[in-house]
Amino acid sequence: VVSNKVGAAGLIAANELYNIYPRDGSPIVTPNRNIPTEPLFGNPGARYDALKFNWIGSMNNEVSVCGVWSTVPVKDLHDMQTRGLVVGGSSSGDDSIVFPKILNALLGTKLKIVSGYPGGNDINLAIERGEVEGRCALSYSSILATRPEWVRDHKLRVVLQLSFDKHPDLPDVPTILEVGGKDKEGALRLIFARQLWGRPFIAPPGVPEARVAQLRTAFMDTLNDKEFMAEADKARIEIHPVAGADIQKVVEGLYKLPAAVVEQAKAAMQE
């Protein structure tokens, strides 16, 4: 039974999973990818210990991008730092707002955020209408699924990849780590680690270890199933599975980072 739990950029769903739902492996939440780091960044609305969630896995290692409409004369990071760019955003806490703020704070870009759009599709429509010039938190897999003509007809120019790993289609477009510099690498790794679990599934704390293992195995078996992959291909949905145990290790590592790195990241997100 699938139920959509809206509110607070996924915090309501995460709080309920942690504090209310049964701890038997039956409830599973697919949260926003920012959920693990909200307590680390001091969000008072995050009423959970992120280290105690049981990560089942992620359907994708997500590559978000800074995409610019083809008629706009912005071709690279330097242009975003000098000429600037008007980007669309939705609500506070969403990547469409957070990522441009981070780029302004840590990379010196001049991104003007037009916020208040209900969701990603509304921002995409605004780009097509010329209300904004681009978007700096745009899932490349979503472009391929929902706006393939943007890629096919070269309507969108990708100038930066907001991820650790490059998308196979974008070998010549730099990643955030390649342009960020050594002094900001720790903060950028902390902020953009969420891309590893781009489409995550989590279970509550306290689920028996054997049940967690079963869920993780079933999850990976599903994502490697030929019929499932065929259906995903038909829907133009990218599947690049990430094991739950691997995500768990990365999340644990984030909470061991030096306080100075965390503070640098927090300051950038609050700009």
Side-chain angles (χ1 to χ4, degrees):
V1 177
V2 179
S3 175
N4 185 31
K5 177 66 68 171
V6 299
L11 278 178
I12 290 177
N15 286 334
E16 291 188 358
L17 181 69
Y18 189 88
N19 296 292
I20 299 175
Y21 292 172
R23 300 187 171 192
D24 58 3
S26 58
I28 296 173
V29 165
T30 58
N32 287 23
R33 65 193 72 159
N34 63 304
I35 290 304
T37 52
E38 288 304 299
L40 187 61
F41 291 142
N43 187 336
R47 298 187 296 275
Y48 54 84
D49 182 345
L51 295 174
K52 293 183 179 179
F53 281 128
N54 286 293
W55 289 85
I56 306 306
S58 176
M59 295 176 65
N60 202 19
N61 183 344
E62 190 60 69
V63 175
S64 294
V65 301
C66 277
V68 181
W69 201 241
S70 59
T71 57
V72 178
V74 171
K75 295 181 171 57
D76 52 27
L77 176 64
H78 180 263
D79 289 340
M80 290 196 290
Q81 293 168 325
T82 52
R83 186 258 188 197
L85 184 70
V86 180
V87 297
S90 56
S91 59
S92 175
D94 186 75
D95 288 352
S96 61
I97 301 289
V98 173
F99 285 1
K101 285 185 175 181
I102 291 163
L103 294 178
N104 285 343
L106 295 181
L107 300 187
T109 56
K110 297 178 180 178
L111 303 180
K112 179 182 178 182
I113 305 168
V114 178
S115 61
Y117 290 101
N121 187 58
D122 302 278
I123 300 174
N124 292 344
L125 288 172
I127 294 173
E128 292 176 330
R129 291 194 296 258
E131 294 176 8
V132 296
E133 298 175 326
R135 182 176 168 192
C136 274
L138 182 56
S139 165
Y140 193 72
S141 63
S142 293
I143 299 174
L144 296 176
T146 64
R147 294 289 200 288
E149 71 279 6
W150 281 13
V151 176
R152 183 192 65 230
D153 300 335
H154 306 289
K155 293 182 177 181
L156 189 79
R157 181 184 306 115
V158 177
V159 298
L160 184 65
Q161 300 188 64
L162 306 176
S163 61
F164 297 167
D165 303 314
K166 292 186 176 184
H167 192 280
D169 290 357
L170 305 170
D172 299 322
V173 179
T175 68
I176 188 74
L177 292 183
E178 289 177 323
V179 300
K182 286 294 181 181
D183 59 326
K184 302 180 181 70
E185 182 176 348
L188 291 171
R189 283 191 177 277
L190 171 55
I191 294 165
F192 290 100
R194 67 183 72 183
Q195 301 300 80
L196 175 66
W197 49 86
R199 301 286 185 269
F201 287 67
I202 57 174
V207 178
E209 289 185 12
R211 187 70 52 81
V212 172
Q214 288 176 327
L215 290 170
R216 287 175 170 175
T217 298
F219 181 82
M220 295 301 287
D221 285 349
T222 298
L223 297 189
N224 287 294
D225 179 78
K226 291 182 179 180
E227 291 185 9
F228 177 86
M229 288 299 297
E231 290 296 320
D233 287 342
K234 287 181 183 178
R236 297 195 294 267
I237 297 174
E238 283 194 341
I239 303 293
H240 297 291
V242 183
D246 293 338
I247 299 174
Q248 201 100 32
K249 290 178 182 177
V250 173
V251 172
E252 291 171 358
L254 296 181
Y255 279 78
K256 296 176 183 177
L257 288 170
V261 170
V262 177
E263 288 304 315
Q264 185 183 32
K266 285 173 62 175
M269 298 178 73
Q270 293 168 1
E271 283 288 330

